[in-house]
């Protein structure tokens, strides 16, 4: 490890991040949410995030992580955070809970469009398991808007495209049909 990485590991352990063992009573999504925040605050590069998170696993979760790594083809690049997030949740979060999170984040409900957007962006930035591509993200965002707003957007005829921006300053366009 480089000196910078050792300093980050030291800061990381001083934060006393929670351990995860993979029992049914543990909140896998909450675990990843808290780690995402910690890792972003420590400014860890993408390639170190998975290793730091795996460092805090115990028991069955640690064994799962080791087995998963051993099962990957030799010479595979390190897992990205998005890849790790997806396989971790597939293994440690019941399908019904994943559906509930999708519903919770991907529907505007009684929230304002701004509140809905903030919740949607929070999920979509680090949960590619739920929203795999930017195009899918835009489609699901629009689909999750309240019916009246959705209809107004669908009727836009003077403009072929609606531009939507992301927090990372990237913007993209999606054609509405």
């Amino acid at each position: 490890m480089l000196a910078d990485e050792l300093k980050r590991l030291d800061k990381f352990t001083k934060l006393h991040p929670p351990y995860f063992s993979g029992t049914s009573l543990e909140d896998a999504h909450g675990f990843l949410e808290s780690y995402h925040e910690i890792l972003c605050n420590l400014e860890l590069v993408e390639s170190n995030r998975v290793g730091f998170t795996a460092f805090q696993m115990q028991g069955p979760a640690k064994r799962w992580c080791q087995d998963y790594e051993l099962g990957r083809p030799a010479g595979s690049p390190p897992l990205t955070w998005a890849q790790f997030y997806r396989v971790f949740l597939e293994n440690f979060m019941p399908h019904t809970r994943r559906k509930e999170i999708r519903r919770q984040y991907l529907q505007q409900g009684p929230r304002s469009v701004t509140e809905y957007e903030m919740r949607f962006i929070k999920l979509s930035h680090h949960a590619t398991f739920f929203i795999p591509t930017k195009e899918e993200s835009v489609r699901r965002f629009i689909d999750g808007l309240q019916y009246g707003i959705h209809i107004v957007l669908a009727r836009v005829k003077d403009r072929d495209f609606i531009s939507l921006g992301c927090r990372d300053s990237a913007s993209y366009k999606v054609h509405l049909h």
Side-chain angles (χ1 to χ4, degrees):
M1 272 190 168
L2 300 172
D4 245 11
E5 290 173 329
L6 287 173
K7 286 179 187 175
R8 285 191 177 110
L9 180 59
D10 185 50
K11 284 182 184 178
F12 175 75
T13 54
K14 286 180 180 174
L15 292 172
H16 303 288
Y19 288 96
F20 185 82
S21 64
T23 68
S24 61
L25 300 176
E26 291 176 292
D27 178 8
H29 185 255
F31 173 78
L32 290 180
E33 289 280 314
S34 65
Y35 269 79
H36 184 262
E37 185 176 337
I38 289 169
L39 298 170
C40 286
N41 287 335
L42 290 174
E43 298 176 353
L44 282 169
V45 294
E46 177 74 22
S47 61
N48 290 334
R49 290 180 180 183
V50 174
F52 275 53
T53 305
F55 185 73
Q56 293 300 109
M57 291 187 189
Q58 300 176 322
K62 177 76 109 188
R63 281 190 299 284
W64 167 81
C65 195
Q66 291 167 341
D67 290 346
Y68 185 83
E69 280 298 318
L70 288 172
R72 297 181 72 218
S76 294
L79 283 175
T80 65
W81 179 255
Q83 291 167 329
F84 175 76
Y85 196 100
R86 182 181 52 77
V87 296
F88 183 88
L89 289 183
E90 283 174 351
N91 194 72
F92 293 107
M93 181 186 282
H95 180 71
T96 53
R97 177 71 176 122
R98 292 193 308 262
K99 281 178 68 173
E100 173 60 25
I101 288 173
R102 276 191 201 104
R103 188 194 61 71
Q104 183 182 32
Y105 280 89
L106 302 180
Q107 293 294 316
Q108 181 182 357
R111 293 181 279 278
S112 71
V113 173
T114 302
E115 291 168 326
Y116 168 56
E117 178 189 27
M118 289 183 332
R119 289 179 60 87
F120 189 92
I121 288 171
K122 179 181 177 185
L123 178 69
S124 66
H125 269 260
H126 59 275
T128 57
F129 178 81
F130 296 114
I131 306 168
T133 65
K134 287 184 179 183
E135 291 79 13
E136 179 71 4
S137 177
V138 172
R139 187 187 67 73
R140 287 195 182 186
F141 179 82
I142 291 170
D143 286 349
L145 289 168
Q146 291 174 353
Y147 181 74
I149 297 170
H150 182 93
I151 293 301
V152 169
L153 286 176
R155 289 184 179 169
V156 174
K157 292 183 181 179
D158 295 333
R159 293 170 22 196
D160 285 335
F161 294 92
I162 293 180
S163 295
L164 295 174
C166 293
R167 277 194 192 165
D168 63 3
S169 299
S171 62
Y172 48 91
K173 296 178 179 181
V174 171
H175 187 59
L176 292 177
H177 280 61

